Amino acid sequence: MSTTVESLSERSAAEVNEEIRALWLRSGGILSVEQREEYQRLVLEWASAPQRENAA
């Protein structure tokens, strides 16, 4: 698994957040070393992803 964030702005923050939530659900709340690395990569991607504003 690559530890670099490849394309930071291709997905929205909501899309990345969905993947983060799925990772936590798959792990049962306890991340392995590999899952922790994936989580860190996803958080970096989420932080730099475009934020969508709610119209409501």
Side-chain angles (χ1 to χ4, degrees), residues 7-16 45-53:
S7 51
L8 299 177
S9 62
E10 286 187 15
R11 299 191 294 173
S12 71
E15 291 171 313
V16 179
E45 183 180 353
W46 174 84
S48 63
Q51 303 289 326
R52 291 187 187 154
E53 292 186 24

Side-chain angles (χ1 to χ4, degrees), residues 4-41:
T4 61
V5 180
E6 293 171 3
S7 51
L8 299 177
S9 62
E10 286 187 15
R11 299 191 294 173
S12 71
E15 291 171 313
V16 179
N17 190 40
E18 237 179 82
E19 191 171 339
I20 291 170
R21 289 175 184 262
L23 173 63
W24 278 106
L25 286 174
R26 283 193 314 270
S27 73
I30 300 172
L31 300 176
S32 69
V33 172
E34 288 178 351
Q35 290 169 322
R36 224 174 279 138
E37 290 172 356
E38 181 180 0
Y39 174 75
Q40 290 173 343
R41 180 188 60 79

